[in-house]
């Protein structure tokens, strides 16, 4: 058996040298006990290279976009620097300009938004606006990416002359709130954290009271309508 295997290897080596067969890379550091090797740094480098190549292809309009993660997004827990009221205002604005009702704002919808705000942008300017917060590289804005615009604006991370800064400034949504990060001491941070939690709970109670009030008003209107119907019978 060993002689036959050696003879086969020598024969194949001659064929490779004569150009009759393509060489195949082999693992020279394989484990002798037959167990699987751990991933090498070469594999990591090739994976990183593949990701960078795919990003370039997507930027050039080539390749197919992969579906984003199905992880549930909760704006109230991820964007704690904003109040519930602020987030609801942003959501209302987002839905207003989501003409296709697909939960995304694409290039054309962003164009119409900026025109409506009185700050029309060039085609290249609109593409750059999306690119700055387009984390999943699908060339459109999800609600989470839309919120990133206001996070960057509140943190002062947007250039004054950028389209995103103009959008945030003209949206009439006040995002100039200071979070716990502005606290000078640990105890001050704790007080601010408690205050933020209380404010959050108060906003929820206020929303619940408003809904309860609306339901009661609906009941009164229905009762009045029934009385009016019975008067005509």
């Amino acid at each position: 058996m060993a002689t036959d295997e050696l003879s086969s290897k020598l024969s194949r080596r001659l064929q490779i040298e004569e150009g009759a067969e393509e060489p195949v890379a082999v693992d020279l550091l394989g484990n002798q006990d037959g167990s699987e090797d751990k991933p090498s740094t070469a594999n990591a480098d090739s994976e990183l290279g593949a990701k960078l190549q795919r990003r370039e292809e997507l930027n050039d309009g080539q390749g197919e976009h992969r579906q984003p993660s199905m992880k549930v997004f909760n704006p109230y827990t991820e964007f704690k620097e904003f109040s519930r009221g602020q987030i609801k205002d942003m959501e209302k604005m987002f839905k207003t300009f989501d003409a296709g009702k697909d939960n995304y704002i694409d290039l054309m919808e962003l164009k119409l938004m900026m025109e409506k705000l009185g700050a029309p942008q060039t085609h290249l300017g609109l593409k750059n606006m999306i690119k700055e917060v387009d984390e999943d590289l699908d060339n459109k804005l999800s609600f989470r990416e839309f919120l990133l615009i206001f996070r960057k604006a509140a943190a002062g991370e947007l250039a004054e002359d950028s389209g995103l800064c103009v959008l945030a400034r003209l949206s009439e949504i006040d995002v100039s709130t200071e979070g716990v990060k502005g606290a000078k001491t640990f105890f001050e941070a704790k007080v601010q954290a408690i205050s933020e939690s209380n404010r959050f709970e108060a906003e929820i109670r206020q929303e619940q009271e408003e809904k309860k009030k609306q339901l009661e008003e609906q009941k009164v209107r229905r009762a009045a309508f029934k009385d009016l119907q019975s008067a005509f019978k």
Side-chain angles (χ1 to χ4, degrees):
M1 291 291 292
T3 304
D4 293 340
E5 184 178 355
L6 179 60
S7 176
S8 175
K9 287 182 178 180
L10 289 173
S11 175
R12 186 171 175 280
R13 185 180 183 86
L14 288 172
Q15 290 177 350
I16 292 173
E17 291 176 352
E18 292 174 358
E21 186 175 342
E22 292 292 329
V24 179
V26 295
D27 185 5
L28 299 177
L29 299 177
N31 292 339
Q32 295 180 356
D33 58 0
S35 61
E36 293 182 3
D37 291 328
K38 295 181 180 180
S40 64
T41 55
N43 289 338
D45 291 341
S46 62
E47 182 179 352
L48 178 60
K51 287 183 178 180
L52 291 174
Q53 182 178 356
R54 182 175 175 275
R55 177 181 282 267
E56 291 178 357
E57 290 176 350
L58 286 171
N59 289 338
D60 294 338
Q62 302 174 0
E64 195 171 321
H65 172 69
R66 295 176 185 173
Q67 290 294 327
S69 171
M70 298 303 291
K71 182 181 178 181
V72 176
F73 163 58
N74 187 332
Y76 302 110
T77 57
E78 186 169 345
F79 291 84
K80 293 181 179 179
E81 64 265 43
F82 301 133
S83 68
R84 286 177 63 86
Q86 288 173 326
I87 291 177
K88 284 186 174 296
D89 287 342
M90 297 175 205
E91 184 179 19
K92 182 179 179 181
M93 182 181 183
F94 181 86
K95 290 182 176 180
T96 298
F97 292 100
D98 177 20
K101 304 304 176 186
D102 58 354
N103 297 321
Y104 290 97
I105 291 179
D106 59 23
L107 189 70
M108 183 55 66
E109 290 167 340
L110 181 61
K111 177 178 183 294
L112 295 174
M113 175 191 289
M114 296 308 293
E115 290 175 353
K116 187 75 173 179
L117 292 174
Q121 303 288 311
T122 64
H123 183 77
L124 181 60
L126 293 167
K127 291 183 70 174
N128 287 336
M129 286 175 65
I130 292 177
K131 186 177 181 181
E132 191 164 350
V133 290
D134 185 18
E135 293 187 331
D136 55 6
L137 303 176
D138 59 356
N139 297 317
K140 53 188 177 181
L141 299 178
S142 64
F143 180 51
R144 183 183 180 281
E145 291 165 343
F146 188 71
L147 289 176
L148 287 177
I149 297 172
F150 296 93
R151 169 177 282 176
K152 286 177 176 285
E157 297 176 359
L158 299 176
E160 284 294 325
D161 58 346
S162 71
L164 293 186
C165 187
V166 173
L167 189 159
R169 188 168 60 246
L170 297 178
S171 66
E172 298 182 355
I173 298 173
D174 182 16
V175 294
S176 57
T177 56
E178 184 176 1
V180 177
K181 290 185 294 183
K184 296 178 182 178
T185 66
F186 171 78
F187 295 103
E188 184 181 344
K190 293 289 284 185
V191 170
Q192 286 188 7
I194 294 172
S195 176
E196 288 293 316
S197 177
N198 291 340
R199 185 191 68 177
F200 189 76
E201 292 175 358
E203 289 176 345
I204 292 178
R205 284 197 298 270
Q206 184 178 356
E207 289 178 7
Q208 291 174 342
E209 289 173 0
E210 288 177 355
K211 289 181 179 178
K212 184 178 178 181
K213 183 179 178 181
Q214 290 174 357
L215 289 174
E216 290 176 352
E217 290 176 351
Q218 287 178 358
K219 288 180 180 179
V220 172
R221 287 196 297 268
R222 286 173 187 161
F225 181 74
K226 287 182 179 179
D227 291 341
L228 185 63
Q229 277 185 322
S230 62
F232 284 96
K233 290 182 179 179

